[in-house]
Amino acid sequence: MAGGRRGGGIRSRVRLLWPWRAARRVFQPGWIPPADDPLVERLKRLRVLAGMAVTTGVYTFVARDFDGREVLENLAVACLVLLVVAPLTVGVMLAVWRRRGPLRPLVPALIGSLQRLLYFVGSAVLAMLLLPAAWQLLFFAPLVLWLLWFVCAAAVRVNSNFFGTAAVHRALPPVLASVTSWLTAVPDLVTGDLHGLGLTLGVVFILGAPVLVTCIALLEMQRLRRHQGIRLRDHPA
């Protein structure tokens, strides 16, 4: 029995080495509430997977120039936006909720969400820094591939609860996702960087993600309000 337990424990640890299992362990801990709406969750995951496929296809087959450096620059911009926008948006909502109830009960979930945000940004930045070295030093390649797989799996996880902010307020993840997606697209719109796709296709490519994210977010908030009576302005308690 003891040997069986030890063997099971070893197998469990080995399984955690797989990127998607590690991402689930880190970004879907037990204190984050499970999804209530299977339809919205399927739409979110489909959006993330489709977004990755479309981005790769656009760079590879349409623009015919898969520039890894540009992909990394976009990742860096997204991480910067997350680090700035997510805390600011949460701060605004805390100011709203403060008028309706105490904020102290929200502190543990807020700290946990901030930790998930830092874990994700740290993983993405580490992968971004190591990727150029992987082309020159082959022994870096397995680590970089693991990190890239981990970041992609984490993106699917955090997409549903947005770094655990669902534990703070159920309506917070769709708001944060919408704000972040629009602000991530702003640099390309301001600079006119259409990724070599031409005006029409470039604008559609840049605005497609935030428009789709916003539509799914509005659907999620509407279903939360209709089926559970949860409104964004209401205090989480």
PDB file of all heavy atoms in Angstrom, residues 111-143:
ATOM      1  N   ILE A 111      -5.436  39.535  -3.703  1.00  0.00           N
ATOM      2  CA  ILE A 111      -4.013  39.165  -3.642  1.00  0.00           C
ATOM      3  C   ILE A 111      -3.741  37.943  -4.522  1.00  0.00           C
ATOM      4  O   ILE A 111      -2.754  37.897  -5.275  1.00  0.00           O
ATOM      5  CB  ILE A 111      -3.594  38.892  -2.186  1.00  0.00           C
ATOM      6  CG1 ILE A 111      -3.662  40.189  -1.371  1.00  0.00           C
ATOM      7  CG2 ILE A 111      -2.188  38.303  -2.130  1.00  0.00           C
ATOM      8  CD1 ILE A 111      -3.360  40.008   0.101  1.00  0.00           C
ATOM      9  N   GLY A 112      -4.627  36.951  -4.459  1.00  0.00           N
ATOM     10  CA  GLY A 112      -4.469  35.766  -5.293  1.00  0.00           C
ATOM     11  C   GLY A 112      -4.531  36.112  -6.781  1.00  0.00           C
ATOM     12  O   GLY A 112      -3.760  35.570  -7.585  1.00  0.00           O
ATOM     13  N   SER A 113      -5.420  37.020  -7.148  1.00  0.00           N
ATOM     14  CA  SER A 113      -5.531  37.427  -8.551  1.00  0.00           C
ATOM     15  C   SER A 113      -4.276  38.156  -9.012  1.00  0.00           C
ATOM     16  O   SER A 113      -3.788  37.937 -10.131  1.00  0.00           O
ATOM     17  CB  SER A 113      -6.758  38.330  -8.735  1.00  0.00           C
ATOM     18  OG  SER A 113      -7.943  37.653  -8.402  1.00  0.00           O
ATOM     19  N   LEU A 114      -3.742  39.013  -8.161  1.00  0.00           N
ATOM     20  CA  LEU A 114      -2.513  39.725  -8.510  1.00  0.00           C
ATOM     21  C   LEU A 114      -1.357  38.745  -8.691  1.00  0.00           C
ATOM     22  O   LEU A 114      -0.541  38.898  -9.615  1.00  0.00           O
ATOM     23  CB  LEU A 114      -2.175  40.746  -7.420  1.00  0.00           C
ATOM     24  CG  LEU A 114      -0.897  41.564  -7.638  1.00  0.00           C
ATOM     25  CD1 LEU A 114      -0.978  42.352  -8.938  1.00  0.00           C
ATOM     26  CD2 LEU A 114      -0.647  42.493  -6.451  1.00  0.00           C
ATOM     27  N   GLN A 115      -1.289  37.744  -7.848  1.00  0.00           N
ATOM     28  CA  GLN A 115      -0.241  36.725  -7.992  1.00  0.00           C
ATOM     29  C   GLN A 115      -0.370  36.000  -9.328  1.00  0.00           C
ATOM     30  O   GLN A 115       0.629  35.781 -10.019  1.00  0.00           O
ATOM     31  CB  GLN A 115      -0.320  35.721  -6.840  1.00  0.00           C
ATOM     32  CG  GLN A 115       0.107  36.278  -5.502  1.00  0.00           C
ATOM     33  CD  GLN A 115      -0.101  35.275  -4.375  1.00  0.00           C
ATOM     34  OE1 GLN A 115      -0.903  34.347  -4.495  1.00  0.00           O
ATOM     35  NE2 GLN A 115       0.610  35.468  -3.276  1.00  0.00           N
ATOM     36  N   ARG A 116      -1.605  35.625  -9.724  1.00  0.00           N
ATOM     37  CA  ARG A 116      -1.809  34.949 -11.008  1.00  0.00           C
ATOM     38  C   ARG A 116      -1.384  35.847 -12.167  1.00  0.00           C
ATOM     39  O   ARG A 116      -0.793  35.393 -13.130  1.00  0.00           O
ATOM     40  CB  ARG A 116      -3.282  34.558 -11.197  1.00  0.00           C
ATOM     41  CG  ARG A 116      -3.858  33.630 -10.158  1.00  0.00           C
ATOM     42  CD  ARG A 116      -3.462  32.252 -10.150  1.00  0.00           C
ATOM     43  NE  ARG A 116      -2.849  31.474  -9.183  1.00  0.00           N
ATOM     44  CZ  ARG A 116      -2.565  31.639  -7.901  1.00  0.00           C
ATOM     45  NH1 ARG A 116      -2.828  32.718  -7.276  1.00  0.00           N
ATOM     46  NH2 ARG A 116      -1.968  30.704  -7.214  1.00  0.00           N
ATOM     47  N   LEU A 117      -1.687  37.142 -12.055  1.00  0.00           N
ATOM     48  CA  LEU A 117      -1.282  38.093 -13.098  1.00  0.00           C
ATOM     49  C   LEU A 117       0.231  38.146 -13.224  1.00  0.00           C
ATOM     50  O   LEU A 117       0.783  38.101 -14.333  1.00  0.00           O
ATOM     51  CB  LEU A 117      -1.842  39.475 -12.776  1.00  0.00           C
ATOM     52  CG  LEU A 117      -1.390  40.634 -13.675  1.00  0.00           C
ATOM     53  CD1 LEU A 117      -1.799  40.384 -15.127  1.00  0.00           C
ATOM     54  CD2 LEU A 117      -1.969  41.960 -13.180  1.00  0.00           C
ATOM     55  N   LEU A 118       0.927  38.227 -12.098  1.00  0.00           N
ATOM     56  CA  LEU A 118       2.392  38.287 -12.124  1.00  0.00           C
ATOM     57  C   LEU A 118       2.989  36.985 -12.640  1.00  0.00           C
ATOM     58  O   LEU A 118       3.986  36.998 -13.372  1.00  0.00           O
ATOM     59  CB  LEU A 118       2.921  38.609 -10.722  1.00  0.00           C
ATOM     60  CG  LEU A 118       2.554  39.996 -10.175  1.00  0.00           C
ATOM     61  CD1 LEU A 118       3.073  40.155  -8.750  1.00  0.00           C
ATOM     62  CD2 LEU A 118       3.113  41.097 -11.065  1.00  0.00           C
ATOM     63  N   TYR A 119       2.388  35.843 -12.274  1.00  0.00           N
ATOM     64  CA  TYR A 119       2.872  34.558 -12.783  1.00  0.00           C
ATOM     65  C   TYR A 119       2.781  34.516 -14.309  1.00  0.00           C
ATOM     66  O   TYR A 119       3.712  34.074 -14.995  1.00  0.00           O
ATOM     67  CB  TYR A 119       2.051  33.395 -12.203  1.00  0.00           C
ATOM     68  CG  TYR A 119       2.206  33.170 -10.728  1.00  0.00           C
ATOM     69  CD1 TYR A 119       1.240  32.462 -10.002  1.00  0.00           C
ATOM     70  CD2 TYR A 119       3.311  33.660 -10.034  1.00  0.00           C
ATOM     71  CE1 TYR A 119       1.370  32.247  -8.642  1.00  0.00           C
ATOM     72  CE2 TYR A 119       3.440  33.449  -8.672  1.00  0.00           C
ATOM     73  CZ  TYR A 119       2.473  32.754  -7.974  1.00  0.00           C
ATOM     74  OH  TYR A 119       2.596  32.541  -6.622  1.00  0.00           O
ATOM     75  N   PHE A 120       1.641  34.950 -14.826  1.00  0.00           N
ATOM     76  CA  PHE A 120       1.437  34.886 -16.273  1.00  0.00           C
ATOM     77  C   PHE A 120       2.393  35.821 -17.009  1.00  0.00           C
ATOM     78  O   PHE A 120       3.045  35.416 -17.984  1.00  0.00           O
ATOM     79  CB  PHE A 120      -0.009  35.246 -16.615  1.00  0.00           C
ATOM     80  CG  PHE A 120      -0.310  35.176 -18.081  1.00  0.00           C
ATOM     81  CD1 PHE A 120      -0.538  33.956 -18.697  1.00  0.00           C
ATOM     82  CD2 PHE A 120      -0.358  36.330 -18.854  1.00  0.00           C
ATOM     83  CE1 PHE A 120      -0.811  33.885 -20.054  1.00  0.00           C
ATOM     84  CE2 PHE A 120      -0.623  36.266 -20.212  1.00  0.00           C
ATOM     85  CZ  PHE A 120      -0.853  35.035 -20.812  1.00  0.00           C
ATOM     86  N   VAL A 121       2.472  37.064 -16.552  1.00  0.00           N
ATOM     87  CA  VAL A 121       3.364  38.027 -17.210  1.00  0.00           C
ATOM     88  C   VAL A 121       4.816  37.564 -17.102  1.00  0.00           C
ATOM     89  O   VAL A 121       5.582  37.652 -18.069  1.00  0.00           O
ATOM     90  CB  VAL A 121       3.180  39.428 -16.596  1.00  0.00           C
ATOM     91  CG1 VAL A 121       4.226  40.397 -17.129  1.00  0.00           C
ATOM     92  CG2 VAL A 121       1.788  39.956 -16.896  1.00  0.00           C
ATOM     93  N   GLY A 122       5.192  37.058 -15.935  1.00  0.00           N
ATOM     94  CA  GLY A 122       6.556  36.572 -15.760  1.00  0.00           C
ATOM     95  C   GLY A 122       6.877  35.425 -16.704  1.00  0.00           C
ATOM     96  O   GLY A 122       7.964  35.381 -17.302  1.00  0.00           O
ATOM     97  N   SER A 123       5.934  34.489 -16.870  1.00  0.00           N
ATOM     98  CA  SER A 123       6.148  33.361 -17.778  1.00  0.00           C
ATOM     99  C   SER A 123       6.276  33.842 -19.218  1.00  0.00           C
ATOM    100  O   SER A 123       7.149  33.379 -19.970  1.00  0.00           O
ATOM    101  CB  SER A 123       4.986  32.373 -17.676  1.00  0.00           C
ATOM    102  OG  SER A 123       4.804  31.929 -16.367  1.00  0.00           O
ATOM    103  N   ALA A 124       5.405  34.767 -19.601  1.00  0.00           N
ATOM    104  CA  ALA A 124       5.444  35.273 -20.974  1.00  0.00           C
ATOM    105  C   ALA A 124       6.734  36.033 -21.251  1.00  0.00           C
ATOM    106  O   ALA A 124       7.354  35.873 -22.305  1.00  0.00           O
ATOM    107  CB  ALA A 124       4.229  36.165 -21.227  1.00  0.00           C
ATOM    108  N   VAL A 125       7.145  36.866 -20.302  1.00  0.00           N
ATOM    109  CA  VAL A 125       8.372  37.639 -20.489  1.00  0.00           C
ATOM    110  C   VAL A 125       9.590  36.713 -20.530  1.00  0.00           C
ATOM    111  O   VAL A 125      10.507  36.910 -21.340  1.00  0.00           O
ATOM    112  CB  VAL A 125       8.517  38.686 -19.365  1.00  0.00           C
ATOM    113  CG1 VAL A 125       9.905  39.332 -19.395  1.00  0.00           C
ATOM    114  CG2 VAL A 125       7.439  39.756 -19.503  1.00  0.00           C
ATOM    115  N   LEU A 126       9.607  35.698 -19.678  1.00  0.00           N
ATOM    116  CA  LEU A 126      10.725  34.753 -19.680  1.00  0.00           C
ATOM    117  C   LEU A 126      10.817  34.018 -21.019  1.00  0.00           C
ATOM    118  O   LEU A 126      11.910  33.863 -21.583  1.00  0.00           O
ATOM    119  CB  LEU A 126      10.559  33.748 -18.542  1.00  0.00           C
ATOM    120  CG  LEU A 126      11.683  32.716 -18.375  1.00  0.00           C
ATOM    121  CD1 LEU A 126      13.023  33.404 -18.129  1.00  0.00           C
ATOM    122  CD2 LEU A 126      11.354  31.750 -17.246  1.00  0.00           C
ATOM    123  N   ALA A 127       9.664  33.586 -21.530  1.00  0.00           N
ATOM    124  CA  ALA A 127       9.659  32.927 -22.838  1.00  0.00           C
ATOM    125  C   ALA A 127      10.134  33.882 -23.927  1.00  0.00           C
ATOM    126  O   ALA A 127      10.885  33.497 -24.837  1.00  0.00           O
ATOM    127  CB  ALA A 127       8.259  32.414 -23.157  1.00  0.00           C
ATOM    128  N   MET A 128       9.725  35.132 -23.829  1.00  0.00           N
ATOM    129  CA  MET A 128      10.107  36.136 -24.816  1.00  0.00           C
ATOM    130  C   MET A 128      11.613  36.396 -24.789  1.00  0.00           C
ATOM    131  O   MET A 128      12.255  36.535 -25.828  1.00  0.00           O
ATOM    132  CB  MET A 128       9.348  37.436 -24.534  1.00  0.00           C
ATOM    133  CG  MET A 128       9.656  38.579 -25.487  1.00  0.00           C
ATOM    134  SD  MET A 128       8.659  40.020 -25.075  1.00  0.00           S
ATOM    135  CE  MET A 128       9.209  40.357 -23.402  1.00  0.00           C
ATOM    136  N   LEU A 129      12.205  36.404 -23.601  1.00  0.00           N
ATOM    137  CA  LEU A 129      13.636  36.661 -23.472  1.00  0.00           C
ATOM    138  C   LEU A 129      14.476  35.468 -23.913  1.00  0.00           C
ATOM    139  O   LEU A 129      15.579  35.634 -24.460  1.00  0.00           O
ATOM    140  CB  LEU A 129      13.973  37.021 -22.019  1.00  0.00           C
ATOM    141  CG  LEU A 129      13.393  38.346 -21.501  1.00  0.00           C
ATOM    142  CD1 LEU A 129      13.723  38.523 -20.029  1.00  0.00           C
ATOM    143  CD2 LEU A 129      13.918  39.528 -22.312  1.00  0.00           C
ATOM    144  N   LEU A 130      13.965  34.252 -23.677  1.00  0.00           N
ATOM    145  CA  LEU A 130      14.736  33.056 -23.995  1.00  0.00           C
ATOM    146  C   LEU A 130      14.581  32.607 -25.443  1.00  0.00           C
ATOM    147  O   LEU A 130      15.429  31.856 -25.944  1.00  0.00           O
ATOM    148  CB  LEU A 130      14.335  31.907 -23.069  1.00  0.00           C
ATOM    149  CG  LEU A 130      14.716  32.044 -21.595  1.00  0.00           C
ATOM    150  CD1 LEU A 130      14.230  30.833 -20.817  1.00  0.00           C
ATOM    151  CD2 LEU A 130      16.224  32.199 -21.435  1.00  0.00           C
ATOM    152  N   LEU A 131      13.516  33.059 -26.106  1.00  0.00           N
ATOM    153  CA  LEU A 131      13.270  32.582 -27.466  1.00  0.00           C
ATOM    154  C   LEU A 131      14.418  32.900 -28.429  1.00  0.00           C
ATOM    155  O   LEU A 131      14.831  32.023 -29.204  1.00  0.00           O
ATOM    156  CB  LEU A 131      11.954  33.152 -27.989  1.00  0.00           C
ATOM    157  CG  LEU A 131      11.502  32.629 -29.354  1.00  0.00           C
ATOM    158  CD1 LEU A 131      11.378  31.112 -29.327  1.00  0.00           C
ATOM    159  CD2 LEU A 131      10.177  33.261 -29.762  1.00  0.00           C
ATOM    160  N   PRO A 132      14.976  34.125 -28.436  1.00  0.00           N
ATOM    161  CA  PRO A 132      16.107  34.363 -29.345  1.00  0.00           C
ATOM    162  C   PRO A 132      17.297  33.454 -29.062  1.00  0.00           C
ATOM    163  O   PRO A 132      17.976  33.001 -29.999  1.00  0.00           O
ATOM    164  CB  PRO A 132      16.463  35.834 -29.078  1.00  0.00           C
ATOM    165  CG  PRO A 132      15.218  36.437 -28.537  1.00  0.00           C
ATOM    166  CD  PRO A 132      14.579  35.354 -27.735  1.00  0.00           C
ATOM    167  N   ALA A 133      17.535  33.158 -27.782  1.00  0.00           N
ATOM    168  CA  ALA A 133      18.664  32.290 -27.444  1.00  0.00           C
ATOM    169  C   ALA A 133      18.439  30.868 -27.920  1.00  0.00           C
ATOM    170  O   ALA A 133      19.396  30.139 -28.214  1.00  0.00           O
ATOM    171  CB  ALA A 133      18.906  32.306 -25.935  1.00  0.00           C
ATOM    172  N   ALA A 134      17.160  30.444 -28.012  1.00  0.00           N
ATOM    173  CA  ALA A 134      16.866  29.078 -28.429  1.00  0.00           C
ATOM    174  C   ALA A 134      17.285  28.824 -29.871  1.00  0.00           C
ATOM    175  O   ALA A 134      17.584  27.693 -30.246  1.00  0.00           O
ATOM    176  CB  ALA A 134      15.374  28.787 -28.270  1.00  0.00           C
ATOM    177  N   TRP A 135      17.305  29.890 -30.679  1.00  0.00           N
ATOM    178  CA  TRP A 135      17.721  29.721 -32.072  1.00  0.00           C
ATOM    179  C   TRP A 135      19.228  29.500 -32.181  1.00  0.00           C
ATOM    180  O   TRP A 135      19.714  28.957 -33.177  1.00  0.00           O
ATOM    181  CB  TRP A 135      17.319  30.938 -32.897  1.00  0.00           C
ATOM    182  CG  TRP A 135      15.852  31.153 -32.993  1.00  0.00           C
ATOM    183  CD1 TRP A 135      15.119  32.145 -32.411  1.00  0.00           C
ATOM    184  CD2 TRP A 135      14.899  30.345 -33.699  1.00  0.00           C
ATOM    185  NE1 TRP A 135      13.785  32.012 -32.695  1.00  0.00           N
ATOM    186  CE2 TRP A 135      13.623  30.918 -33.493  1.00  0.00           C
ATOM    187  CE3 TRP A 135      15.012  29.185 -34.480  1.00  0.00           C
ATOM    188  CZ2 TRP A 135      12.469  30.368 -34.046  1.00  0.00           C
ATOM    189  CZ3 TRP A 135      13.857  28.642 -35.035  1.00  0.00           C
ATOM    190  CH2 TRP A 135      12.602  29.240 -34.815  1.00  0.00           C
ATOM    191  N   GLN A 136      19.974  29.967 -31.177  1.00  0.00           N
ATOM    192  CA  GLN A 136      21.435  29.868 -31.227  1.00  0.00           C
ATOM    193  C   GLN A 136      21.977  28.747 -30.345  1.00  0.00           C
ATOM    194  O   GLN A 136      22.972  28.109 -30.680  1.00  0.00           O
ATOM    195  CB  GLN A 136      22.052  31.207 -30.807  1.00  0.00           C
ATOM    196  CG  GLN A 136      21.597  32.372 -31.675  1.00  0.00           C
ATOM    197  CD  GLN A 136      22.109  33.707 -31.156  1.00  0.00           C
ATOM    198  OE1 GLN A 136      22.812  33.757 -30.160  1.00  0.00           O
ATOM    199  NE2 GLN A 136      21.750  34.787 -31.834  1.00  0.00           N
ATOM    200  N   LEU A 137      21.315  28.518 -29.208  1.00  0.00           N
ATOM    201  CA  LEU A 137      21.761  27.475 -28.276  1.00  0.00           C
ATOM    202  C   LEU A 137      20.662  26.428 -28.177  1.00  0.00           C
ATOM    203  O   LEU A 137      19.617  26.654 -27.556  1.00  0.00           O
ATOM    204  CB  LEU A 137      22.048  28.086 -26.899  1.00  0.00           C
ATOM    205  CG  LEU A 137      23.080  29.228 -26.884  1.00  0.00           C
ATOM    206  CD1 LEU A 137      23.141  29.858 -25.508  1.00  0.00           C
ATOM    207  CD2 LEU A 137      24.446  28.717 -27.305  1.00  0.00           C
ATOM    208  N   LEU A 138      20.897  25.293 -28.796  1.00  0.00           N
ATOM    209  CA  LEU A 138      19.846  24.289 -28.914  1.00  0.00           C
ATOM    210  C   LEU A 138      19.405  23.721 -27.578  1.00  0.00           C
ATOM    211  O   LEU A 138      18.270  23.268 -27.442  1.00  0.00           O
ATOM    212  CB  LEU A 138      20.320  23.152 -29.830  1.00  0.00           C
ATOM    213  CG  LEU A 138      20.488  23.517 -31.307  1.00  0.00           C
ATOM    214  CD1 LEU A 138      20.941  22.301 -32.102  1.00  0.00           C
ATOM    215  CD2 LEU A 138      19.201  24.081 -31.881  1.00  0.00           C
ATOM    216  N   PHE A 139      20.281  23.747 -26.569  1.00  0.00           N
ATOM    217  CA  PHE A 139      19.870  23.163 -25.292  1.00  0.00           C
ATOM    218  C   PHE A 139      18.813  24.025 -24.595  1.00  0.00           C
ATOM    219  O   PHE A 139      18.192  23.596 -23.633  1.00  0.00           O
ATOM    220  CB  PHE A 139      21.076  22.943 -24.376  1.00  0.00           C
ATOM    221  CG  PHE A 139      21.816  24.192 -23.989  1.00  0.00           C
ATOM    222  CD1 PHE A 139      21.398  24.978 -22.933  1.00  0.00           C
ATOM    223  CD2 PHE A 139      22.953  24.576 -24.705  1.00  0.00           C
ATOM    224  CE1 PHE A 139      22.088  26.115 -22.570  1.00  0.00           C
ATOM    225  CE2 PHE A 139      23.645  25.720 -24.346  1.00  0.00           C
ATOM    226  CZ  PHE A 139      23.216  26.498 -23.275  1.00  0.00           C
ATOM    227  N   PHE A 140      18.604  25.286 -25.084  1.00  0.00           N
ATOM    228  CA  PHE A 140      17.530  26.125 -24.563  1.00  0.00           C
ATOM    229  C   PHE A 140      16.183  25.762 -25.195  1.00  0.00           C
ATOM    230  O   PHE A 140      15.133  26.127 -24.662  1.00  0.00           O
ATOM    231  CB  PHE A 140      17.819  27.605 -24.839  1.00  0.00           C
ATOM    232  CG  PHE A 140      18.575  28.286 -23.735  1.00  0.00           C
ATOM    233  CD1 PHE A 140      19.805  28.868 -23.988  1.00  0.00           C
ATOM    234  CD2 PHE A 140      18.052  28.356 -22.460  1.00  0.00           C
ATOM    235  CE1 PHE A 140      20.512  29.494 -22.971  1.00  0.00           C
ATOM    236  CE2 PHE A 140      18.747  28.983 -21.441  1.00  0.00           C
ATOM    237  CZ  PHE A 140      19.983  29.550 -21.698  1.00  0.00           C
ATOM    238  N   ALA A 141      16.219  25.104 -26.342  1.00  0.00           N
ATOM    239  CA  ALA A 141      14.993  24.866 -27.109  1.00  0.00           C
ATOM    240  C   ALA A 141      13.913  24.119 -26.319  1.00  0.00           C
ATOM    241  O   ALA A 141      12.752  24.536 -26.330  1.00  0.00           O
ATOM    242  CB  ALA A 141      15.325  24.133 -28.405  1.00  0.00           C
ATOM    243  N   PRO A 142      14.223  22.991 -25.619  1.00  0.00           N
ATOM    244  CA  PRO A 142      13.157  22.303 -24.869  1.00  0.00           C
ATOM    245  C   PRO A 142      12.502  23.196 -23.808  1.00  0.00           C
ATOM    246  O   PRO A 142      11.275  23.169 -23.643  1.00  0.00           O
ATOM    247  CB  PRO A 142      13.895  21.124 -24.222  1.00  0.00           C
ATOM    248  CG  PRO A 142      15.081  20.888 -25.091  1.00  0.00           C
ATOM    249  CD  PRO A 142      15.498  22.247 -25.562  1.00  0.00           C
ATOM    250  N   LEU A 143      13.313  23.987 -23.105  1.00  0.00           N
ATOM    251  CA  LEU A 143      12.751  24.869 -22.083  1.00  0.00           C
ATOM    252  C   LEU A 143      11.844  25.921 -22.706  1.00  0.00           C
ATOM    253  O   LEU A 143      10.748  26.199 -22.197  1.00  0.00           O
ATOM    254  CB  LEU A 143      13.886  25.550 -21.310  1.00  0.00           C
ATOM    255  CG  LEU A 143      13.454  26.629 -20.298  1.00  0.00           C
ATOM    256  CD1 LEU A 143      12.539  26.042 -19.235  1.00  0.00           C
ATOM    257  CD2 LEU A 143      14.674  27.287 -19.664  1.00  0.00           C
TER     258      LEU A 143
END
